[in-house]
Amino acid sequence: MKTFSQLNLIEPLLQAVSAQNYHTTTPIQEATIPPLLAGKDVLGCAQTGTGKTAAFTLPILQKIAQQSSLTKHTNIRALVLAPTRELASQIGTSFEDYGQFLDIRHSVIFGGVNSNRQIQSLKRGIHVLIATPGRLLDLQQQGFIDLSRLDFFVLDEADRMLDMGFIKDIQRIISLLPTRRQNLLFSATMPGAITKLADSILVAPFRFQISPQKSVVQEIQQEVMFVQQSDKRHLLLQIIQQSYIQQAIVFMRTKHRANRLTHQLNRAKVNAVAIHGDKSQSARQRALRSFREGKSHILVATDLAARGLDIDGVSHVFNFDLPNETESYVHRIGRTGRAGRSGMAIAFCAPEEYDYLTNIEKTIGVQIPVSKGDPGWDRQPIRIEGETENESKTELKKFGGRRRTRKTKQNNYKRKQTRFRRKHPSADQSKSQVSGQ
């Protein structure tokens, strides 16, 4: 692994990187920064949490800074498109952090808030614009945005853009850009639609891909608990209360379920806030601020709302509802174990979610170990051969498919007779509720 000083970055950027306590590069940074500095287009396939934001932020800042003609006049020289407000804000923070020793202005614009401040920022002049597609087109049509002198175009999380129906907006935006420009496209997956889009905007790109199993950070300890849907809330409360969890994100499938769980957690005297697409931008920001400042210990989120979140100190991620998209699982657990810290990702698997689990395991290439505190509806926890029950530890095993007994198949995932006990276990038992505590 290289250090940032080996990538021919200018001194102000090296100072900024050091100020963020980053010293060695991630694979995507090591691979893509040199060709970006050389002026090549780049196509990167990588999930959030792999360091891709710095991979395009640093080269853009350097190339703008090295051309005095670009900084002398405050025209928009770089455009970064993001699918959500949260991701756009996070990218804006990266430009602020890495550009703190440079005279390069940036602005972040997105919908859901009053546009007056955004318009004032554009009028003062900026070099880098980070935007969501809808607000960008709105302000461009009003005459506040001129993209005719653009040199760098970044399309981040392109697959999520298409999932959200932004393809026509993206095509309209691309039609506003000058023909001669450097293009960067990043996507967690590469379906046919993304490949077609990439072919239409990239010229002889440098290609880099991180497979989902390689992007699952090694510092993250993964576990699964087999539990009936109706018992998930009680199990979550038990783990939170007995493990003294200070900061965790709980992922839900729908906005309604996120709201309901948040209400139930607060009734149980667990400080929780929800973030999802139906929340206003100000409500989202209040929730995130409360979570970051430690006033709320649990953030209940849907996938879309949590896209691009980068919050230090998240010790646990709970997949309360297993995602039906395997890439979403990788993205979710990447919210913990960041910046070299350890983290734990716990998945709750109801009988009807079993197929989701097996698909996830095939994608990441390992069989997720069963937690010691597993209530169980279908199987016993995995034990390491030769160890006693008290000494056993969970470990990631190569995925070979979970074997189900004939009885399990006949019962069609019917639950064991032993029901999940909701009474509080002893202090000794609580220590083994979640391994690694």
Side-chain angles (χ1 to χ4, degrees):
M1 199 69 68
K2 290 186 177 180
T3 63
F4 284 98
S5 59
Q6 294 175 289
L7 297 181
N8 296 320
L9 294 174
I10 58 178
E11 187 58 33
L13 291 179
L14 293 177
Q15 284 182 276
V17 168
S18 180
Q20 301 301 312
N21 292 319
Y22 297 140
H23 304 287
T24 57
T25 61
T26 64
I28 194 170
Q29 292 163 358
E30 180 179 341
T32 60
I33 288 178
L36 285 173
L37 289 175
K40 291 184 67 66
D41 286 3
V42 165
L43 174 60
C45 184
Q47 286 73 23
T48 301
T50 55
K52 63 182 174 64
T53 303
F56 64 77
T57 301
L58 293 170
I60 288 175
L61 288 171
Q62 175 151 324
K63 296 197 75 173
I64 294 176
Q66 287 180 326
Q67 300 181 47
S68 58
S69 61
L70 299 187
T71 55
K72 194 174 294 183
H73 304 287
T74 50
N75 299 309
I76 298 175
R77 297 296 182 176
L79 170 63
V80 182
L81 277 188
T84 67
R85 314 163 189 175
E86 285 72 28
L87 181 56
S89 296
Q90 187 61 50
I91 294 171
T93 301
S94 292
F95 272 97
E96 182 177 351
D97 290 340
Y98 297 131
Q100 60 182 298
F101 301 113
L102 297 170
D103 186 21
I104 296 177
R105 301 179 188 176
H106 77 277
S107 184
V108 181
I109 64 172
F110 44 73
V113 296
N114 190 290
S115 62
N116 289 338
R117 285 190 176 183
Q118 298 174 0
I119 292 172
Q120 292 304 313
S121 176
L122 292 168
K123 285 181 176 180
R124 287 192 294 270
I126 58 172
H127 301 99
V128 179
L129 177 62
I130 304 104
T132 53
R135 179 54 61 92
L136 171 64
L137 287 172
D138 180 29
L139 296 185
Q140 187 274 333
Q141 289 167 0
Q142 294 183 51
F144 296 114
I145 295 176
D146 178 13
L147 300 174
S148 63
R149 299 186 181 184
L150 198 80
D151 294 293
F152 311 98
F153 174 56
V154 181
L155 187 60
D156 197 13
E157 300 207 358
D159 55 343
R160 186 60 58 176
M161 291 271 201
L162 268 60
D163 289 344
M164 295 172 66
F166 284 138
I167 183 62
K168 290 186 178 180
D169 286 346
I170 292 171
Q171 291 170 342
R172 288 176 60 192
I173 291 168
I174 291 174
S175 70
L176 301 172
L177 308 181
T179 305
R180 294 188 61 182
R181 63 180 189 271
Q182 188 174 358
N183 303 289
L184 300 79
L185 188 150
F186 291 94
S187 182
T189 58
M190 282 291 164
I194 295 297
T195 303
K196 184 177 179 181
L197 178 62
D199 291 341
S200 69
I201 64 175
L202 303 177
V203 179
F206 172 83
R207 298 172 184 267
F208 182 80
Q209 180 170 356
I210 298 179
S211 63
Q213 69 181 78
K214 289 183 179 179
S215 65
V216 177
V217 186
Q218 296 300 315
E219 287 79 5
I220 301 174
Q221 180 179 343
Q222 300 175 69
E223 293 184 355
V224 62
M225 290 183 167
F226 295 94
V227 55
Q228 290 287 347
Q229 196 70 246
S230 59
D231 285 329
K232 285 185 176 183
R233 174 169 59 93
H234 303 287
L235 179 59
L236 177 65
L237 271 171
Q238 188 180 71
I239 296 173
I240 291 172
Q241 293 171 341
Q242 295 173 1
S243 301
Y244 305 105
I245 293 173
Q246 294 301 308
Q247 203 167 37
I249 300 178
V250 181
F251 281 98
M252 310 294 291
R253 187 169 294 118
T254 67
K255 306 164 189 175
H256 171 71
R257 286 173 63 78
N259 283 335
R260 184 171 63 179
L261 180 64
T262 303
H263 177 67
Q264 291 169 336
L265 290 174
N266 282 302
R267 284 182 58 186
K269 302 188 185 310
V270 174
N271 292 330
V273 289
I275 178 173
H276 54 68
D278 279 353
K279 296 277 187 180
S280 67
Q281 182 62 21
S282 58
R284 285 174 164 184
Q285 290 175 339
R286 284 196 302 271
L288 288 174
R289 185 164 52 250
S290 175
F291 185 62
R292 280 193 171 98
E293 294 174 354
K295 296 176 182 177
S296 299
H297 302 306
I298 307 298
L299 180 66
V300 184
T302 56
D303 285 308
L304 183 58
R307 197 78 175 182
L309 285 182
D310 188 0
I311 300 174
D312 292 336
V314 176
S315 62
H316 290 69
V317 165
F318 292 93
N319 280 286
F320 193 95
D321 295 323
L322 278 179
N324 54 3
E325 295 179 355
T326 56
E327 291 80 9
S328 293
Y329 174 82
V330 176
H331 165 77
R332 288 178 176 188
I333 70 172
R335 302 309 94 203
T336 185
R338 300 180 77 82
R341 296 182 177 89
S342 61
M344 176 168 283
I346 301 175
F348 292 170
C349 181
E352 61 271 21
E353 297 173 310
Y354 188 84
D355 288 342
Y356 296 160
L357 176 66
T358 56
N359 288 337
I360 289 167
E361 291 176 321
K362 288 177 183 177
T363 300
I364 65 176
V366 295
Q367 183 169 310
I368 302 172
V370 181
S371 171
K372 294 177 182 178
D374 174 48
W377 52 260
D378 155 291
R379 60 180 58 254
Q380 294 295 328
I382 298 172
R383 306 289 182 189
I384 296 178
E385 188 176 352
E387 290 184 336
T388 65
E389 182 174 341
N390 292 332
E391 294 172 339
S392 69
K393 299 176 181 178
T394 57
E395 65 173 8
L396 290 179
K397 299 185 178 183
K398 280 192 174 181
F399 177 76
R402 293 182 185 272
R403 296 184 60 189
R404 289 168 18 201
T405 63
R406 183 178 297 176
K407 182 179 179 181
T408 303
K409 294 178 181 178
Q410 291 173 345
N411 290 341
N412 192 24
Y413 300 121
K414 283 188 178 179
R415 192 180 189 178
K416 289 181 179 180
Q417 294 298 318
T418 304
R419 293 189 59 81
F420 171 62
R421 295 188 180 92
R422 299 177 185 172
K423 67 181 182 180
H424 298 292
S426 65
D428 289 338
Q429 290 173 318
S430 68
K431 291 179 182 178
S432 63
Q433 176 66 41
V434 180
S435 63
Q437 295 300 313

